């Protein structure tokens, strides 16, 4: 079973590329951001807990995310594979994912690490904010905070998987289909 993480800063294209990957490889898409937004709009307990963090561009506490993920992995244990989008976002989450997969006799196949410069990220998010309805896209200060939190708390995850030889760095700037082709080459190597 394929277990692929798609990694990178806010706005780098994780969701966009995940949609293409899921279609081609028949994987289940687990986006922690999408799940949290759904929980928030349904006013669930988890959603209410997560909302304040998300609106400020801060990370939701690790334990809430890890519990949520374990449930999702269990729900999809018969899938051909899973793509994790927006997770793991801290080294603690990466360790928890490794442990969860190991418990089920699996391991992470690879981490696709999309990269783009700061100004491109801000431009994409502000642009999407015009009609996405995402509270964290419309305020430039919140976008800057998301990028800062990424650099401080999430970027160490790249090193964690580089040490395992699982990180594949991919240029996130260019035509969406060209980036997707590069991603497919990386996935085909671990299939
Ligand atoms: P999350 O939903 O994961 O958001 P994010 O990481 O900030 O990233 P985005 O979804 O905004 O960007 P993306 O990389 O998916 O880019 P996209 O494809 O949309 O997280 C939101 C919040 O939830 C967090 O801040 C946190 O509070 C919480 N959270 C989530 N997961 C968590 C976790 N594990 N732990 C703790 N907290 C967590 O593309 C962006 C735009 O660019 C789109 O408009 C797209 O059309 C465009 N675009 C994409 N590719 C290209 C291209 N090649 N050229 C031109 N435009 C492009
Ligand atoms: Mg996304």
């Amino acid at each position: 079973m394929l277990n692929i993480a798609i990694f990178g800063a806010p706005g780098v294209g994780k969701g966009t590329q995940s949609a293409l990957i899921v279609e081609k490889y028949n994987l289940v898409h687990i986006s922690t951001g999408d799940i949290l937004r759904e929980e928030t709009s349904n006013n669930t307990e988890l959603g209410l807990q997560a909302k304040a963090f998300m609106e400020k561009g801060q990370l939701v506490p690790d334990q809430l995310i890890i519990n949520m993920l374990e449930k999702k992995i269990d729900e999809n244990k018969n899938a051909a594979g899973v793509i994790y989008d927006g997770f793991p976002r801290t080294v603690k989450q990466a360790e928890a994912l490794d442990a969860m997969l190991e418990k089920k006799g699996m391991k992470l196949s690879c981490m696709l690490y999309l990269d783009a410069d700061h100004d491109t990220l801000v431009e994409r998010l502000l642009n999407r904010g015009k009609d996405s309805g995402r509270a964290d896209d419309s305020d430039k200060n919140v976008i800057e905070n998301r990028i800062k939190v990424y650099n401080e708390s999430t970027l160490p995850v790249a090193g964690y998987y580089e040490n395992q030889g699982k990180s594949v760095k991919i240029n996130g700037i260019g035509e969406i289909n060209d980036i997707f082709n590069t991603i497919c080459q990386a996935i085909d190597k671990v299939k």
Side-chain angles (χ1 to χ4, degrees):
M1 176 170 161
L2 274 174
N3 284 283
I4 297 172
I6 188 157
F7 180 84
V12 78
K14 302 183 294 295
T16 303
Q17 295 296 333
S18 292
L20 299 172
I21 296 168
V22 163
E23 200 183 335
K24 173 161 178 179
Y25 294 94
N26 195 24
L27 306 183
V28 172
H29 182 199
I30 299 184
S31 158
T32 44
D34 288 350
I35 300 169
L36 290 169
R37 278 184 288 278
E38 201 186 312
E39 297 276 343
T40 305
S41 69
N42 291 336
N43 285 316
T44 65
E45 200 187 321
L46 171 61
L48 293 172
Q49 282 173 297
K51 193 167 187 238
F53 295 100
M54 295 173 78
E55 280 175 354
K56 291 186 207 126
Q58 289 168 356
L59 293 182
V60 174
D62 283 330
Q63 206 50 53
L64 289 180
I65 300 286
I66 292 166
N67 295 345
M68 178 177 106
L69 240 288
E70 185 139 40
K71 212 171 108 204
K72 279 281 158 193
I73 294 179
D74 283 340
E75 280 169 18
N76 290 291
K77 51 178 173 264
N78 296 322
V82 174
I83 180 141
Y84 303 92
D85 164 4
F87 175 88
R89 235 174 169 97
T90 61
V91 169
K92 194 168 169 205
Q93 290 181 19
E95 288 166 351
L97 177 63
D98 280 358
M100 274 187 256
L101 292 175
E102 200 187 321
K103 215 163 64 180
K104 298 173 202 312
M106 298 187 289
K107 52 185 176 6
L108 194 77
S109 313
C110 69
M111 184 183 86
L112 305 166
Y113 173 7
L114 289 172
D115 193 31
D117 63 274
H118 171 273
D119 291 356
T120 301
L121 301 172
V122 175
E123 192 189 311
R124 285 185 189 174
L125 293 174
L126 282 173
N127 206 24
R128 188 179 62 185
K130 288 177 195 158
D131 50 30
S132 71
R134 270 179 64 165
D136 59 349
D137 275 352
S138 37
D139 182 333
K140 189 151 191 285
N141 292 326
V142 174
I143 290 176
E144 290 292 357
N145 194 44
R146 285 159 67 192
I147 296 173
K148 181 167 169 274
V149 167
Y150 169 78
N151 286 324
E152 288 172 0
S153 305
T154 302
L155 212 43
V157 174
Y160 177 88
Y161 285 116
E162 264 155 33
N163 286 339
Q164 295 187 13
K166 288 189 178 157
S167 170
V168 185
K169 204 161 181 176
I170 290 161
N171 184 1
I173 296 183
E175 291 296 326
I176 288 171
N177 276 325
D178 292 342
I179 299 170
F180 180 56
N181 285 335
T182 311
I183 286 179
C184 291
Q185 286 167 18
I187 295 179
D188 291 340
K189 276 193 198 147
V190 296
K191 244 186 6 176

